[in-house]
Amino acid sequence: MGQVQATLEYQKEQLMGQNVAASIKGSFADGKKKNRKWIVVGAHYDHLGSGKFGSLEGMGEIHNGADDNASGTAAVLELAFALQKMYENDPSIIPEPYDVVFMHFDAEERGLYGSEYFVDSSSFSAEDSVVMLNLDMVGMLREGKGLQFQGAQTADESWKGMIQSAFDATKFAKDMDLRFFPGGNGPSDHSPFYRKNVPVGFFFTGEHSHYHKSTDDFHRLNYPGLYDITFMARVLILELASAKQPIVFQQAPEVQRSDLEFDVRLGIIPGGYGETEGGLLVSGVKEDTPVAATGIQ
């Protein structure tokens, strides 16, 4: 059929991201220095701007990202505000050695760069991290989908009990249910923590037709549902801080074919779903899967 020769020209563009963190009980650095046990609560605050990167409708319109992920960002801010007020009134609610660390990650949409950078930095200690709670796309709670939660299997049985207890203590609508899904890896900021052997909890209300489009805007959100999820997260944080024994990390069973609608799996951990031109970013490879035998890193 003949030969074709192509010449490509490109330039690298280096971008600067910025994670933002705060903690209850003194400074963030002091908390690490004193070996406090961290309960990390996080969300990513970056999104697609005018849709130049990752849009499912093309660039041009502003993508406000009300669900993805202004919803999680707002939940973390509200948790920080509420828990700080509660702690000022009663310091015993977060006893030693616990600290609550609130984090907003940058560059999640580009491939979890903000959270990956943090867990690989000298600021982070996996041994002192009790759990990482991740709120990503929590603004569209709906009947029929319920609250989806990943990570219940990433620690001993007491962890799942705490999660269920926190859900039961929250006044969700009667037709709303809690749906556990397996594993500890997923295309969001809890995955880098899980790969450092930290138990995780991922709050998620499911994908929808406005995902990565300019139509993901504030008027579509379920605000009572967002309040309930934030309230549940607060109950869970306080349960973790008051537990007689900290939860203990364990590897979660891998997702089985029967858990998904797909008949075939490769075994890669996607680094992000927004970029499709030229391939899919691979952030990790699961052991004992077909792709692991290929040598792909």
Side-chain angles (χ1 to χ4, degrees):
M1 293 179 66
Q3 295 181 341
V4 175
Q5 184 174 353
T7 302
L8 302 177
E9 292 185 6
Y10 70 94
Q11 290 182 332
K12 282 187 176 181
E13 182 182 17
Q14 187 167 353
L15 304 175
M16 180 65 72
Q18 190 77 46
N19 293 333
V20 183
S23 67
I24 294 177
K25 292 186 183 175
S27 74
F28 188 70
D30 284 346
K32 182 176 186 300
K33 196 180 300 180
K34 295 174 182 176
N35 296 319
R36 291 203 176 105
K37 299 300 180 185
W38 287 356
I39 299 168
V40 182
V41 188
H44 76 88
Y45 72 91
D46 67 305
H47 205 253
L48 307 184
S50 60
K52 181 179 180 181
F53 174 87
S55 172
L56 295 180
E57 67 177 18
M59 64 179 297
E61 296 293 326
I62 291 295
H63 292 53
N64 286 322
D67 185 37
D68 183 20
N69 186 32
S71 63
T73 302
V76 171
L77 288 170
E78 177 63 20
L79 283 165
F81 178 82
L83 285 167
Q84 177 65 22
K85 290 293 184 184
M86 292 175 69
Y87 178 73
E88 289 173 357
N89 292 329
D90 181 8
S92 69
I93 65 167
I94 308 175
E96 293 294 346
Y98 293 105
D99 197 352
V100 186
V101 175
F102 306 94
M103 297 205 68
H104 283 129
F105 297 106
D106 201 355
E108 189 269 356
E109 298 289 359
R110 293 272 179 170
L112 312 185
Y113 287 115
S115 50
E116 289 276 12
Y117 178 87
F118 175 66
V119 300
D120 287 334
S121 73
S122 60
S123 299
F124 177 70
S125 169
E127 294 76 15
D128 294 329
S129 298
V130 177
V131 71
M132 190 278 179
L133 302 179
N134 181 27
L135 295 119
D136 188 355
M137 295 180 65
V138 289
M140 297 279 276
L141 194 63
R142 288 155 285 170
E143 182 182 354
K145 282 189 175 290
L147 173 60
Q148 301 175 42
F149 194 99
Q150 184 185 33
Q153 298 168 304
T154 62
D156 61 272
E157 279 296 318
S158 67
W159 177 221
K160 187 173 183 178
M162 286 184 187
I163 298 162
Q164 187 66 59
S165 175
F167 179 82
D168 294 341
T170 305
K171 295 180 180 179
F172 282 97
K174 291 182 179 179
D175 54 1
M176 210 58 65
D177 58 346
L178 175 62
R179 302 185 178 189
F180 294 104
F181 62 102
N185 281 303
S188 192
D189 290 311
H190 60 288
S191 292
F193 288 82
Y194 175 65
R195 294 196 286 274
K196 294 289 186 180
N197 295 339
V198 176
V200 296
F202 173 32
F203 295 79
F204 180 56
T205 55
E207 291 196 11
H208 45 78
S209 61
H210 306 286
Y211 172 72
H212 278 195
K213 295 180 180 178
S214 61
T215 52
D216 179 10
D217 221 329
F218 73 95
H219 61 281
R220 301 186 188 280
L221 298 189
N222 177 352
Y223 289 98
L226 178 56
Y227 171 84
D228 290 338
I229 292 168
T230 309
F231 186 94
M232 176 184 167
R234 191 183 74 180
V235 172
L236 191 54
I237 291 165
L238 294 177
E239 283 195 28
L240 285 160
S242 63
K244 293 182 179 179
Q245 297 291 334
I247 59 176
V248 178
F249 174 81
Q250 64 182 23
Q251 288 287 336
E254 293 290 352
V255 177
Q256 301 299 314
R257 292 182 184 183
S258 58
D259 297 319
L260 304 170
E261 297 176 357
F262 306 109
D263 293 325
V264 179
R265 69 185 180 122
L266 292 175
I268 64 168
I269 301 166
Y273 291 118
E275 186 174 12
T276 56
E277 184 177 351
L280 176 69
L281 182 66
V282 176
S283 69
V285 175
K286 299 176 184 177
E287 297 179 4
D288 302 321
T289 57
V291 77
T294 68
I296 288 178
Q297 300 292 307

